[in-house]
């Protein structure tokens, strides 16, 4: 929950952009995530930001972050806290 969207001051998890996180027995971590839009200006940087954040956790091995566009992100995927914080924007 430490990586925040550079355009929206809410972490990616609460924004609903992290679809799945799995850690294998050897410590490797796989993340399936999306972005708010395919033309997001940080599309190339965001997966690396997520991987760099996770790799700092003790016991984590190789981190793989995969972007997906299915299902398409909607504001309904946000946590209640994020919806409240962004009520004026959305």
């Amino acid at each position: 929950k430490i990586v925040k969207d550079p355009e929206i001051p809410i972490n990616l998890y609460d924004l609903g952009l992290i679809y799945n996180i799995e850690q294998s027995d050897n410590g490797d971590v796989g993340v399936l995530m999306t972005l708010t839009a395919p033309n997001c200006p940080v599309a190339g940087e965001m997966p690396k930001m997520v991987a760099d954040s996770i790799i700092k956790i003790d016991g984590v091995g190789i981190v793989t972050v995969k972007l997906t566009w299915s299902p398409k992100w909607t504001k309904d995927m946000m946590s209640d806290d994020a919806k409240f914080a962004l009520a004026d924007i959305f």
Side-chain angles (χ1 to χ4, degrees):
K1 288 190 165 189
I2 27 180
V3 179
K4 294 186 178 182
D5 186 298
E7 297 176 334
I8 304 170
I10 303 291
N11 71 70
L12 302 183
Y13 189 83
D14 283 335
L15 281 174
L17 298 176
I18 305 297
Y19 287 169
N20 190 38
I21 301 172
E22 292 185 9
Q23 185 171 17
S24 63
D25 292 338
N26 68 356
D28 292 351
V29 175
V31 178
L32 181 64
M33 66 174 290
T34 194
L35 300 172
T36 55
N39 60 349
C40 176
V42 294
E45 301 167 31
M46 195 64 69
K48 182 176 178 350
M49 292 170 60
V50 170
D52 288 348
S53 174
I54 294 171
I55 199 72
K56 295 176 185 175
I57 300 170
D58 286 339
V60 169
I62 297 170
V63 178
T64 305
V65 179
K66 181 179 175 186
L67 277 179
T68 185
W69 304 109
S70 179
K72 181 181 176 184
W73 179 85
T74 68
K75 63 182 179 180
D76 294 330
M77 295 174 167
M78 295 189 302
S79 71
D80 288 341
D81 288 342
K83 287 176 185 174
F84 179 77
L86 300 173
D88 293 340
I89 297 173
F90 289 108

